Amino acid sequence: MKEVKTLFKEQFENLGIIFRISRYSDKSQYQSHYLGLVWQYLYPLIQIAIYWLVFGIGLKSGNNMNGISYLPWMVIGYTVWFYMNRVTLDGSKSITSRVGMVSKMKFPMSVLPTIKLVSNLSSFWTMLVFSIFVGLLNGIYPSLMWIQWIYYFVAMLIFLLALGIFNSAVTILIRDWHIMLQSLMRVLFYMSGVLFNFETTAFPAPFVRLLQLNPFYYIISGFRESFLNETWFWDRPVLTLEFWAFTLFFLLVGSHLHYKFRSRFMDLI
């Protein structure tokens, strides 16, 4: 736990650096493109349109969403997934891709995954507003339950921080890890309930229960339950405990690996 406390202490002490580098990363990533930062918002919207056409209209997956139209149901899920997927993959290579910066500037390496977490927030906010707009067009209006999204947002940030610290350390120790992670995230995309609802009688109960262990599913379904006015998070205590158990595991193991090998990261890279 001492390493976890050190981890959070370094994040709070370097918030200024985190936000400054995040803004710089956003500008530098798209500076050679004609549309610039517009691509940060345009790409996910194009993906949403494709999935809606394929799954919502083509395969008609949206006919049974507990009375909710498929488009707002899918858009909320994809918004959360898109952010978590990008932060997870970017965070895993955050240290290896910033070797030059680390060697020239004086700040702890533990903030590098957090920089990726913050730099992707701008597109997340845009997509979240778009999700709410789509929901309003489909008759989904604000209620007291909407305040619950704050809990899931904080839970998502803590989970992604833990996952980023873990993956960034393992990527340095095992160079194939990032490639394996990319493949794993492709599988998790379909196993996290982003495009279809697997909590139906069409799937065996043991299989559904296994998929519910996925922490990405917990966050995605949590945002949906908040904005679609379905369930409070304390109404599913088992899933909540399982999610925080996963988060604590990645925090403990990730921070241990990070601080144990941090002095050797430059040599290993």
Side-chain angles (χ1 to χ4, degrees):
M1 289 301 293
K2 182 180 178 181
E3 293 166 327
V4 174
K5 292 179 181 178
T6 303
L7 173 67
F8 280 103
K9 181 181 178 181
E10 290 181 348
Q11 309 308 306
F12 286 111
E13 289 179 345
N14 293 275
L15 281 177
I17 293 176
I18 290 172
F19 283 101
R20 284 196 299 272
I21 297 179
S22 297
R23 288 194 296 269
Y24 169 77
S25 298
D26 288 340
K27 295 178 180 179
S28 62
Q29 184 177 0
Y30 297 98
Q31 65 180 359
S32 61
H33 298 74
Y34 288 114
L35 296 180
L37 287 173
V38 174
W39 280 113
Q40 195 170 18
Y41 314 107
L42 187 60
Y43 176 73
L45 294 179
I46 292 174
Q47 294 296 108
I48 286 173
I50 293 173
Y51 290 130
W52 177 57
L53 289 173
V54 173
F55 291 92
I57 296 179
L59 299 180
K60 299 187 182 299
S61 299
N63 291 338
N64 186 22
M65 293 298 168
N66 298 324
I68 304 296
S69 299
Y70 180 73
L71 182 58
W73 185 90
M74 185 270 290
V75 169
I76 292 175
Y78 186 77
T79 294
V80 180
W81 168 261
F82 183 81
Y83 175 71
M84 291 196 293
N85 179 59
R86 289 191 64 172
V87 172
T88 300
L89 294 178
D90 289 350
S92 68
K93 58 179 182 179
S94 58
I95 297 179
T96 57
S97 62
R98 294 285 185 177
V99 178
M101 179 183 295
V102 172
S103 62
K104 296 176 183 177
M105 299 178 64
K106 296 291 184 180
F107 62 87
M109 294 184 187
S110 64
V111 306
L112 293 176
T114 309
I115 290 172
K116 296 298 183 180
L117 189 151
V118 174
S119 65
N120 283 293
L121 275 177
S122 56
S123 60
F124 173 76
W125 293 128
T126 302
M127 291 180 64
L128 188 62
V129 171
F130 176 75
S131 301
I132 294 174
F133 177 72
V134 171
L136 292 174
L137 292 179
N138 286 269
I140 301 170
Y141 301 111
S143 70
L144 180 62
M145 190 169 286
W146 277 32
I147 198 174
Q148 183 177 231
W149 78 269
I150 299 174
Y151 159 74
Y152 284 105
F153 177 71
V154 174
M156 177 177 67
L157 294 184
I158 296 174
F159 172 70
L160 291 175
L161 171 62
L163 201 59
I165 291 295
F166 175 84
N167 285 328
S168 61
V170 176
T171 297
I172 296 174
L173 300 174
I174 306 174
R175 300 313 297 266
D176 295 334
W177 179 252
H178 180 71
I179 298 176
M180 294 170 58
L181 185 62
Q182 287 178 314
S183 300
L184 177 61
M185 293 303 291
R186 293 191 188 99
V187 175
L188 288 177
F189 174 70
Y190 296 99
M191 296 179 63
S192 300
V194 179
L195 300 178
F196 59 90
N197 182 15
F198 57 73
E199 292 182 308
T200 64
T201 55
F203 295 93
F207 179 71
V208 172
R209 186 66 186 92
L210 180 64
L211 293 179
Q212 288 176 336
L213 292 174
N214 177 5
F216 290 93
Y217 161 79
Y218 177 81
I219 297 296
I220 292 171
S221 63
F223 269 86
R224 280 185 176 138
E225 290 173 353
S226 300
F227 287 111
L228 301 181
N229 308 317
E230 293 182 347
T231 308
W232 292 101
F233 74 88
W234 55 74
D235 290 329
R236 47 178 194 169
V238 176
L239 289 181
T240 299
L241 289 175
E242 290 170 348
F243 168 80
W244 286 110
F246 273 109
T247 302
L248 183 61
F249 168 80
F250 285 118
L251 265 178
L252 292 173
V253 177
S255 57
H256 175 71
L257 292 175
H258 180 87
Y259 290 107
K260 180 178 181 180
F261 295 101
R262 183 157 75 175
S263 60
R264 298 172 52 194
F265 278 171
M266 297 298 294
D267 297 331
L268 292 172
I269 293 174

